[in-house]
PDB file of all heavy atoms in Angstrom:
ATOM      1  N   LEU A 243       0.860  -1.203   0.007  1.00 96.00           N
ATOM      2  CA  LEU A 243      -0.013   0.004  -0.014  1.00 96.00           C
ATOM      3  C   LEU A 243       0.871   1.244   0.015  1.00 96.00           C
ATOM      4  O   LEU A 243       2.054   1.163   0.300  1.00 96.00           O
ATOM      5  CB  LEU A 243      -0.997   0.024   1.174  1.00 96.00           C
ATOM      6  CG  LEU A 243      -0.473   0.031   2.630  1.00 96.00           C
ATOM      7  CD1 LEU A 243      -0.042   1.455   3.043  1.00 96.00           C
ATOM      8  CD2 LEU A 243      -1.529  -0.420   3.588  1.00 96.00           C
ATOM      9  N   ARG A 244       0.250   2.382  -0.372  1.00 95.00           N
ATOM     10  CA  ARG A 244       1.012   3.623  -0.460  1.00 95.00           C
ATOM     11  C   ARG A 244       0.122   4.718   0.071  1.00 95.00           C
ATOM     12  O   ARG A 244      -0.976   4.985  -0.488  1.00 95.00           O
ATOM     13  CB  ARG A 244       1.367   3.848  -1.908  1.00 95.00           C
ATOM     14  CG  ARG A 244       2.160   5.118  -2.210  1.00 95.00           C
ATOM     15  CD  ARG A 244       2.320   5.239  -3.715  1.00 95.00           C
ATOM     16  NE  ARG A 244       3.026   6.448  -4.113  1.00 95.00           N
ATOM     17  CZ  ARG A 244       4.259   6.462  -4.595  1.00 95.00           C
ATOM     18  NH1 ARG A 244       4.969   5.312  -4.710  1.00 95.00           N
ATOM     19  NH2 ARG A 244       4.835   7.594  -4.944  1.00 95.00           N
ATOM     20  N   ALA A 245       0.533   5.386   1.151  1.00 95.00           N
ATOM     21  CA  ALA A 245      -0.252   6.480   1.743  1.00 95.00           C
ATOM     22  C   ALA A 245       0.370   7.816   1.372  1.00 95.00           C
ATOM     23  O   ALA A 245       1.471   8.129   1.822  1.00 95.00           O
ATOM     24  CB  ALA A 245      -0.283   6.330   3.281  1.00 95.00           C
ATOM     25  N   GLU A 246      -0.322   8.555   0.538  1.00 95.00           N
ATOM     26  CA  GLU A 246       0.158   9.806   0.045  1.00 95.00           C
ATOM     27  C   GLU A 246      -0.245  10.952   1.032  1.00 95.00           C
ATOM     28  O   GLU A 246      -1.246  10.822   1.754  1.00 95.00           O
ATOM     29  CB  GLU A 246      -0.402  10.126  -1.318  1.00 95.00           C
ATOM     30  CG  GLU A 246      -0.072   9.124  -2.402  1.00 95.00           C
ATOM     31  CD  GLU A 246       1.313   9.368  -2.991  1.00 95.00           C
ATOM     32  OE1 GLU A 246       1.984  10.289  -2.514  1.00 95.00           O
ATOM     33  OE2 GLU A 246       1.689   8.573  -3.903  1.00 95.00           O
ATOM     34  N   PRO A 247       0.472  12.087   1.026  1.00 96.00           N
ATOM     35  CA  PRO A 247       0.053  13.231   1.815  1.00 96.00           C
ATOM     36  C   PRO A 247      -1.364  13.630   1.474  1.00 96.00           C
ATOM     37  O   PRO A 247      -1.772  13.685   0.306  1.00 96.00           O
ATOM     38  CB  PRO A 247       1.023  14.305   1.444  1.00 96.00           C
ATOM     39  CG  PRO A 247       2.286  13.553   0.996  1.00 96.00           C
ATOM     40  CD  PRO A 247       1.744  12.325   0.335  1.00 96.00           C
ATOM     41  N   GLY A 248      -2.161  13.893   2.518  1.00 96.00           N
ATOM     42  CA  GLY A 248      -3.556  14.309   2.330  1.00 96.00           C
ATOM     43  C   GLY A 248      -4.514  13.162   2.199  1.00 96.00           C
ATOM     44  O   GLY A 248      -5.741  13.392   2.010  1.00 96.00           O
ATOM     45  N   GLU A 249      -4.039  11.930   2.334  1.00 97.00           N
ATOM     46  CA  GLU A 249      -4.894  10.755   2.089  1.00 97.00           C
ATOM     47  C   GLU A 249      -5.140   9.948   3.374  1.00 97.00           C
ATOM     48  O   GLU A 249      -4.240   9.790   4.194  1.00 97.00           O
ATOM     49  CB  GLU A 249      -4.204   9.850   1.051  1.00 97.00           C
ATOM     50  CG  GLU A 249      -5.011   8.681   0.583  1.00 97.00           C
ATOM     51  CD  GLU A 249      -4.302   7.913  -0.524  1.00 97.00           C
ATOM     52  OE1 GLU A 249      -3.151   7.515  -0.380  1.00 97.00           O
ATOM     53  OE2 GLU A 249      -4.915   7.781  -1.602  1.00 97.00           O
ATOM     54  N   LEU A 250      -6.360   9.481   3.518  1.00 97.00           N
ATOM     55  CA  LEU A 250      -6.741   8.614   4.616  1.00 97.00           C
ATOM     56  C   LEU A 250      -7.103   7.246   4.041  1.00 97.00           C
ATOM     57  O   LEU A 250      -7.996   7.157   3.209  1.00 97.00           O
ATOM     58  CB  LEU A 250      -7.885   9.179   5.429  1.00 97.00           C
ATOM     59  CG  LEU A 250      -8.206   8.504   6.769  1.00 97.00           C
ATOM     60  CD1 LEU A 250      -8.929   9.499   7.699  1.00 97.00           C
ATOM     61  CD2 LEU A 250      -9.086   7.275   6.594  1.00 97.00           C
ATOM     62  N   ILE A 251      -6.404   6.207   4.513  1.00 97.00           N
ATOM     63  CA  ILE A 251      -6.665   4.821   4.078  1.00 97.00           C
ATOM     64  C   ILE A 251      -7.197   4.073   5.230  1.00 97.00           C
ATOM     65  O   ILE A 251      -6.678   4.088   6.328  1.00 97.00           O
ATOM     66  CB  ILE A 251      -5.355   4.142   3.597  1.00 97.00           C
ATOM     67  CG1 ILE A 251      -4.757   4.880   2.375  1.00 97.00           C
ATOM     68  CG2 ILE A 251      -5.596   2.668   3.256  1.00 97.00           C
ATOM     69  CD1 ILE A 251      -3.438   4.341   1.933  1.00 97.00           C
ATOM     70  N   ALA A 252      -8.370   3.409   5.021  1.00 97.00           N
ATOM     71  CA  ALA A 252      -8.948   2.568   6.020  1.00 97.00           C
ATOM     72  C   ALA A 252      -8.629   1.095   5.706  1.00 97.00           C
ATOM     73  O   ALA A 252      -8.739   0.682   4.543  1.00 97.00           O
ATOM     74  CB  ALA A 252     -10.448   2.756   6.090  1.00 97.00           C
ATOM     75  N   ILE A 253      -8.205   0.312   6.730  1.00 97.00           N
ATOM     76  CA  ILE A 253      -8.010  -1.117   6.566  1.00 97.00           C
ATOM     77  C   ILE A 253      -9.103  -1.819   7.335  1.00 97.00           C
ATOM     78  O   ILE A 253      -9.280  -1.616   8.550  1.00 97.00           O
ATOM     79  CB  ILE A 253      -6.636  -1.508   7.121  1.00 97.00           C
ATOM     80  CG1 ILE A 253      -5.524  -0.694   6.445  1.00 97.00           C
ATOM     81  CG2 ILE A 253      -6.388  -3.015   6.908  1.00 97.00           C
ATOM     82  CD1 ILE A 253      -4.124  -1.042   7.006  1.00 97.00           C
ATOM     83  N   ILE A 254      -9.867  -2.610   6.624  1.00 97.00           N
ATOM     84  CA  ILE A 254     -10.965  -3.357   7.279  1.00 97.00           C
ATOM     85  C   ILE A 254     -10.889  -4.835   6.953  1.00 97.00           C
ATOM     86  O   ILE A 254     -10.285  -5.237   5.966  1.00 97.00           O
ATOM     87  CB  ILE A 254     -12.343  -2.769   6.884  1.00 97.00           C
ATOM     88  CG1 ILE A 254     -12.587  -2.946   5.402  1.00 97.00           C
ATOM     89  CG2 ILE A 254     -12.462  -1.348   7.302  1.00 97.00           C
ATOM     90  CD1 ILE A 254     -13.973  -2.494   4.954  1.00 97.00           C
ATOM     91  N   GLY A 255     -11.527  -5.625   7.776  1.00 96.00           N
ATOM     92  CA  GLY A 255     -11.534  -7.067   7.598  1.00 96.00           C
ATOM     93  C   GLY A 255     -11.904  -7.707   8.938  1.00 96.00           C
ATOM     94  O   GLY A 255     -11.933  -7.081   9.968  1.00 96.00           O
ATOM     95  N   PRO A 256     -12.217  -9.006   8.913  1.00 95.00           N
ATOM     96  CA  PRO A 256     -12.584  -9.690  10.109  1.00 95.00           C
ATOM     97  C   PRO A 256     -11.457  -9.898  11.095  1.00 95.00           C
ATOM     98  O   PRO A 256     -10.248  -9.617  10.746  1.00 95.00           O
ATOM     99  CB  PRO A 256     -13.096 -11.092   9.599  1.00 95.00           C
ATOM    100  CG  PRO A 256     -12.367 -11.260   8.315  1.00 95.00           C
ATOM    101  CD  PRO A 256     -12.207  -9.904   7.703  1.00 95.00           C
ATOM    102  N   ASN A 257     -11.704 -10.341  12.303  1.00 93.00           N
ATOM    103  CA  ASN A 257     -10.653 -10.657  13.264  1.00 93.00           C
ATOM    104  C   ASN A 257      -9.687 -11.668  12.645  1.00 93.00           C
ATOM    105  O   ASN A 257     -10.139 -12.630  11.984  1.00 93.00           O
ATOM    106  CB  ASN A 257     -11.236 -11.221  14.576  1.00 93.00           C
ATOM    107  CG  ASN A 257     -12.051 -10.184  15.296  1.00 93.00           C
ATOM    108  OD1 ASN A 257     -11.773  -8.971  15.199  1.00 93.00           O
ATOM    109  ND2 ASN A 257     -12.999 -10.609  16.115  1.00 93.00           N
ATOM    110  N   GLY A 258      -8.391 -11.478  12.885  1.00 92.00           N
ATOM    111  CA  GLY A 258      -7.414 -12.409  12.342  1.00 92.00           C
ATOM    112  C   GLY A 258      -7.005 -12.125  10.911  1.00 92.00           C
ATOM    113  O   GLY A 258      -6.290 -12.932  10.322  1.00 92.00           O
ATOM    114  N   ALA A 259      -7.471 -10.997  10.344  1.00 95.00           N
ATOM    115  CA  ALA A 259      -7.176 -10.699   8.954  1.00 95.00           C
ATOM    116  C   ALA A 259      -5.734 -10.242   8.768  1.00 95.00           C
ATOM    117  O   ALA A 259      -5.254 -10.205   7.623  1.00 95.00           O
ATOM    118  CB  ALA A 259      -8.170  -9.678   8.419  1.00 95.00           C
ATOM    119  N   GLY A 260      -5.062  -9.818   9.836  1.00 95.00           N
ATOM    120  CA  GLY A 260      -3.691  -9.332   9.714  1.00 95.00           C
ATOM    121  C   GLY A 260      -3.601  -7.815   9.729  1.00 95.00           C
ATOM    122  O   GLY A 260      -2.545  -7.256   9.506  1.00 95.00           O
ATOM    123  N   LYS A 261      -4.687  -7.113  10.065  1.00 96.00           N
ATOM    124  CA  LYS A 261      -4.722  -5.666  10.022  1.00 96.00           C
ATOM    125  C   LYS A 261      -3.763  -5.016  10.998  1.00 96.00           C
ATOM    126  O   LYS A 261      -2.943  -4.182  10.644  1.00 96.00           O
ATOM    127  CB  LYS A 261      -6.181  -5.163  10.321  1.00 96.00           C
ATOM    128  CG  LYS A 261      -7.229  -5.779   9.445  1.00 96.00           C
ATOM    129  CD  LYS A 261      -8.617  -5.186   9.750  1.00 96.00           C
ATOM    130  CE  LYS A 261      -9.108  -5.482  11.191  1.00 96.00           C
ATOM    131  NZ  LYS A 261      -9.328  -6.903  11.452  1.00 96.00           N
ATOM    132  N   SER A 262      -3.803  -5.457  12.274  1.00 94.00           N
ATOM    133  CA  SER A 262      -2.967  -4.836  13.312  1.00 94.00           C
ATOM    134  C   SER A 262      -1.492  -5.276  13.072  1.00 94.00           C
ATOM    135  O   SER A 262      -0.599  -4.463  13.394  1.00 94.00           O
ATOM    136  CB  SER A 262      -3.428  -5.295  14.682  1.00 94.00           C
ATOM    137  OG  SER A 262      -4.713  -4.744  14.990  1.00 94.00           O
ATOM    138  N   THR A 263      -1.271  -6.457  12.600  1.00 95.00           N
ATOM    139  CA  THR A 263       0.100  -6.888  12.285  1.00 95.00           C
ATOM    140  C   THR A 263       0.696  -6.009  11.200  1.00 95.00           C
ATOM    141  O   THR A 263       1.851  -5.573  11.296  1.00 95.00           O
ATOM    142  CB  THR A 263       0.131  -8.352  11.857  1.00 95.00           C
ATOM    143  OG1 THR A 263      -0.405  -9.180  12.914  1.00 95.00           O
ATOM    144  CG2 THR A 263       1.544  -8.789  11.552  1.00 95.00           C
ATOM    145  N   LEU A 264      -0.083  -5.724  10.159  1.00 97.00           N
ATOM    146  CA  LEU A 264       0.396  -4.856   9.087  1.00 97.00           C
ATOM    147  C   LEU A 264       0.718  -3.490   9.643  1.00 97.00           C
ATOM    148  O   LEU A 264       1.742  -2.864   9.306  1.00 97.00           O
ATOM    149  CB  LEU A 264      -0.647  -4.749   7.988  1.00 97.00           C
ATOM    150  CG  LEU A 264      -0.336  -3.820   6.812  1.00 97.00           C
ATOM    151  CD1 LEU A 264       0.952  -4.232   6.116  1.00 97.00           C
ATOM    152  CD2 LEU A 264      -1.491  -3.752   5.831  1.00 97.00           C
ATOM    153  N   LEU A 265      -0.137  -2.937  10.501  1.00 95.00           N
ATOM    154  CA  LEU A 265       0.084  -1.614  11.098  1.00 95.00           C
ATOM    155  C   LEU A 265       1.408  -1.634  11.929  1.00 95.00           C
ATOM    156  O   LEU A 265       2.154  -0.675  11.916  1.00 95.00           O
ATOM    157  CB  LEU A 265      -1.071  -1.235  11.962  1.00 95.00           C
ATOM    158  CG  LEU A 265      -1.417   0.273  12.017  1.00 95.00           C
ATOM    159  CD1 LEU A 265      -1.900   0.721  10.641  1.00 95.00           C
ATOM    160  CD2 LEU A 265      -2.508   0.546  13.055  1.00 95.00           C
ATOM    161  N   GLY A 266       1.666  -2.745  12.617  1.00 94.00           N
ATOM    162  CA  GLY A 266       2.906  -2.877  13.398  1.00 94.00           C
ATOM    163  C   GLY A 266       4.115  -2.836  12.513  1.00 94.00           C
ATOM    164  O   GLY A 266       5.168  -2.269  12.904  1.00 94.00           O
ATOM    165  N   VAL A 267       4.032  -3.428  11.334  1.00 96.00           N
ATOM    166  CA  VAL A 267       5.153  -3.374  10.396  1.00 96.00           C
ATOM    167  C   VAL A 267       5.369  -1.961   9.928  1.00 96.00           C
ATOM    168  O   VAL A 267       6.497  -1.479   9.802  1.00 96.00           O
ATOM    169  CB  VAL A 267       4.896  -4.337   9.220  1.00 96.00           C
ATOM    170  CG1 VAL A 267       6.005  -4.157   8.164  1.00 96.00           C
ATOM    171  CG2 VAL A 267       4.850  -5.788   9.668  1.00 96.00           C
ATOM    172  N   LEU A 268       4.266  -1.266   9.670  1.00 96.00           N
ATOM    173  CA  LEU A 268       4.357   0.119   9.148  1.00 96.00           C
ATOM    174  C   LEU A 268       4.985   1.068  10.155  1.00 96.00           C
ATOM    175  O   LEU A 268       5.581   2.082   9.759  1.00 96.00           O
ATOM    176  CB  LEU A 268       2.965   0.615   8.759  1.00 96.00           C
ATOM    177  CG  LEU A 268       2.319  -0.097   7.555  1.00 96.00           C
ATOM    178  CD1 LEU A 268       0.899   0.382   7.339  1.00 96.00           C
ATOM    179  CD2 LEU A 268       3.155   0.143   6.289  1.00 96.00           C
ATOM    180  N   ASN A 269       4.854   0.820  11.453  1.00 93.00           N
ATOM    181  CA  ASN A 269       5.486   1.707  12.434  1.00 93.00           C
ATOM    182  C   ASN A 269       6.812   1.173  12.958  1.00 93.00           C
ATOM    183  O   ASN A 269       7.445   1.792  13.823  1.00 93.00           O
ATOM    184  CB  ASN A 269       4.504   2.014  13.591  1.00 93.00           C
ATOM    185  CG  ASN A 269       4.231   0.822  14.501  1.00 93.00           C
ATOM    186  OD1 ASN A 269       5.171   0.053  14.858  1.00 93.00           O
ATOM    187  ND2 ASN A 269       2.984   0.675  14.890  1.00 93.00           N
ATOM    188  N   GLY A 270       7.234   0.028  12.460  1.00 92.00           N
ATOM    189  CA  GLY A 270       8.546  -0.524  12.812  1.00 92.00           C
ATOM    190  C   GLY A 270       8.599  -1.359  14.075  1.00 92.00           C
ATOM    191  O   GLY A 270       9.662  -1.811  14.456  1.00 92.00           O
ATOM    192  N   SER A 271       7.426  -1.589  14.700  1.00 92.00           N
ATOM    193  CA  SER A 271       7.422  -2.404  15.915  1.00 92.00           C
ATOM    194  C   SER A 271       7.385  -3.881  15.656  1.00 92.00           C
ATOM    195  O   SER A 271       7.656  -4.700  16.508  1.00 92.00           O
ATOM    196  CB  SER A 271       6.228  -1.991  16.795  1.00 92.00           C
ATOM    197  OG  SER A 271       5.016  -2.281  16.156  1.00 92.00           O
ATOM    198  N   ILE A 272       7.035  -4.284  14.427  1.00 94.00           N
ATOM    199  CA  ILE A 272       7.040  -5.668  14.007  1.00 94.00           C
ATOM    200  C   ILE A 272       7.915  -5.776  12.783  1.00 94.00           C
ATOM    201  O   ILE A 272       7.823  -4.997  11.830  1.00 94.00           O
ATOM    202  CB  ILE A 272       5.614  -6.176  13.700  1.00 94.00           C
ATOM    203  CG1 ILE A 272       4.745  -6.169  14.948  1.00 94.00           C
ATOM    204  CG2 ILE A 272       5.651  -7.585  13.039  1.00 94.00           C
ATOM    205  CD1 ILE A 272       3.294  -6.586  14.700  1.00 94.00           C
ATOM    206  N   LYS A 273       8.811  -6.797  12.762  1.00 94.00           N
ATOM    207  CA  LYS A 273       9.715  -6.969  11.639  1.00 94.00           C
ATOM    208  C   LYS A 273       9.074  -7.863  10.622  1.00 94.00           C
ATOM    209  O   LYS A 273       8.557  -8.951  10.910  1.00 94.00           O
ATOM    210  CB  LYS A 273      11.024  -7.579  12.136  1.00 94.00           C
ATOM    211  CG  LYS A 273      12.080  -7.702  11.038  1.00 94.00           C
ATOM    212  CD  LYS A 273      13.386  -8.234  11.605  1.00 94.00           C
ATOM    213  CE  LYS A 273      14.423  -8.349  10.497  1.00 94.00           C
ATOM    214  NZ  LYS A 273      15.733  -8.831  11.041  1.00 94.00           N
ATOM    215  N   ALA A 274       9.068  -7.421   9.388  1.00 96.00           N
ATOM    216  CA  ALA A 274       8.518  -8.213   8.294  1.00 96.00           C
ATOM    217  C   ALA A 274       9.445  -9.358   7.942  1.00 96.00           C
ATOM    218  O   ALA A 274      10.691  -9.205   7.986  1.00 96.00           O
ATOM    219  CB  ALA A 274       8.285  -7.316   7.073  1.00 96.00           C
ATOM    220  N   THR A 275       8.851 -10.476   7.596  1.00 95.00           N
ATOM    221  CA  THR A 275       9.647 -11.609   7.113  1.00 95.00           C
ATOM    222  C   THR A 275      10.215 -11.311   5.741  1.00 95.00           C
ATOM    223  O   THR A 275      11.384 -11.613   5.424  1.00 95.00           O
ATOM    224  CB  THR A 275       8.800 -12.876   7.035  1.00 95.00           C
ATOM    225  OG1 THR A 275       8.167 -13.085   8.295  1.00 95.00           O
ATOM    226  CG2 THR A 275       9.634 -14.090   6.677  1.00 95.00           C
ATOM    227  N   ARG A 276       9.406 -10.688   4.912  1.00 96.00           N
ATOM    228  CA  ARG A 276       9.808 -10.224   3.566  1.00 96.00           C
ATOM    229  C   ARG A 276       9.163  -8.910   3.292  1.00 96.00           C
ATOM    230  O   ARG A 276       8.112  -8.553   3.866  1.00 96.00           O
ATOM    231  CB  ARG A 276       9.406 -11.224   2.467  1.00 96.00           C
ATOM    232  CG  ARG A 276      10.146 -12.547   2.540  1.00 96.00           C
ATOM    233  CD  ARG A 276       9.929 -13.375   1.258  1.00 96.00           C
ATOM    234  NE  ARG A 276       8.497 -13.587   1.038  1.00 96.00           N
ATOM    235  CZ  ARG A 276       7.790 -14.602   1.611  1.00 96.00           C
ATOM    236  NH1 ARG A 276       8.384 -15.414   2.448  1.00 96.00           N
ATOM    237  NH2 ARG A 276       6.506 -14.756   1.321  1.00 96.00           N
ATOM    238  N   GLY A 277       9.741  -8.153   2.332  1.00 97.00           N
ATOM    239  CA  GLY A 277       9.173  -6.874   1.974  1.00 97.00           C
ATOM    240  C   GLY A 277       9.858  -5.712   2.691  1.00 97.00           C
ATOM    241  O   GLY A 277      10.782  -5.906   3.508  1.00 97.00           O
ATOM    242  N   SER A 278       9.433  -4.499   2.366  1.00 96.00           N
ATOM    243  CA  SER A 278      10.055  -3.316   2.957  1.00 96.00           C
ATOM    244  C   SER A 278       9.045  -2.230   3.140  1.00 96.00           C
ATOM    245  O   SER A 278       7.998  -2.187   2.493  1.00 96.00           O
ATOM    246  CB  SER A 278      11.178  -2.818   2.020  1.00 96.00           C
ATOM    247  OG  SER A 278      10.669  -2.454   0.739  1.00 96.00           O
ATOM    248  N   VAL A 279       9.371  -1.299   4.092  1.00 97.00           N
ATOM    249  CA  VAL A 279       8.595  -0.135   4.370  1.00 97.00           C
ATOM    250  C   VAL A 279       9.462   1.092   4.097  1.00 97.00           C
ATOM    251  O   VAL A 279      10.591   1.191   4.595  1.00 97.00           O
ATOM    252  CB  VAL A 279       8.072  -0.101   5.820  1.00 97.00           C
ATOM    253  CG1 VAL A 279       7.315   1.207   6.066  1.00 97.00           C
ATOM    254  CG2 VAL A 279       7.185  -1.322   6.088  1.00 97.00           C
ATOM    255  N   LEU A 280       8.950   2.023   3.300  1.00 96.00           N
ATOM    256  CA  LEU A 280       9.699   3.220   2.957  1.00 96.00           C
ATOM    257  C   LEU A 280       8.971   4.417   3.503  1.00 96.00           C
ATOM    258  O   LEU A 280       7.745   4.569   3.341  1.00 96.00           O
ATOM    259  CB  LEU A 280       9.799   3.344   1.401  1.00 96.00           C
ATOM    260  CG  LEU A 280      10.431   2.184   0.651  1.00 96.00           C
ATOM    261  CD1 LEU A 280      10.383   2.439  -0.838  1.00 96.00           C
ATOM    262  CD2 LEU A 280      11.863   1.910   1.109  1.00 96.00           C
ATOM    263  N   LEU A 281       9.758   5.324   4.131  1.00 94.00           N
ATOM    264  CA  LEU A 281       9.240   6.606   4.594  1.00 94.00           C
ATOM    265  C   LEU A 281       9.896   7.691   3.777  1.00 94.00           C
ATOM    266  O   LEU A 281      11.112   7.843   3.823  1.00 94.00           O
ATOM    267  CB  LEU A 281       9.544   6.785   6.089  1.00 94.00           C
ATOM    268  CG  LEU A 281       9.095   8.096   6.720  1.00 94.00           C
ATOM    269  CD1 LEU A 281       7.579   8.266   6.635  1.00 94.00           C
ATOM    270  CD2 LEU A 281       9.562   8.139   8.174  1.00 94.00           C
ATOM    271  N   ASN A 282       9.106   8.348   2.944  1.00 92.00           N
ATOM    272  CA  ASN A 282       9.612   9.370   2.020  1.00 92.00           C
ATOM    273  C   ASN A 282      10.764   8.830   1.181  1.00 92.00           C
ATOM    274  O   ASN A 282      11.761   9.476   0.910  1.00 92.00           O
ATOM    275  CB  ASN A 282      10.110  10.617   2.804  1.00 92.00           C
ATOM    276  CG  ASN A 282       8.953  11.301   3.547  1.00 92.00           C
ATOM    277  OD1 ASN A 282       7.825  11.333   3.059  1.00 92.00           O
ATOM    278  ND2 ASN A 282       9.245  11.796   4.728  1.00 92.00           N
ATOM    279  N   GLY A 283      10.576   7.562   0.742  1.00 93.00           N
ATOM    280  CA  GLY A 283      11.531   6.924  -0.143  1.00 93.00           C
ATOM    281  C   GLY A 283      12.711   6.286   0.500  1.00 93.00           C
ATOM    282  O   GLY A 283      13.555   5.644  -0.199  1.00 93.00           O
TER     283      GLY A 283
END
């Protein structure tokens, strides 16, 4: 996903969908097994 300035993205899904885990990766508190997170490139 890509969050641009001025944009609000909602993540929805049932319990166990991985929503909070994904958010943890985005703030650096959870380490991804694969992939990367970029802040301003």
Side-chain angles (χ1 to χ4, degrees):
L243 62 80
R244 181 186 179 107
E246 299 279 1
E249 187 174 55
L250 191 155
I251 298 174
I253 305 178
I254 62 176
N257 292 334
K261 307 183 298 296
S262 295
T263 300
L264 177 60
L265 214 65
V267 174
L268 293 174
N269 69 41
S271 63
I272 295 176
K273 185 176 180 180
T275 306
R276 291 192 304 276
S278 60
V279 177
L280 304 176
L281 178 61
N282 297 324

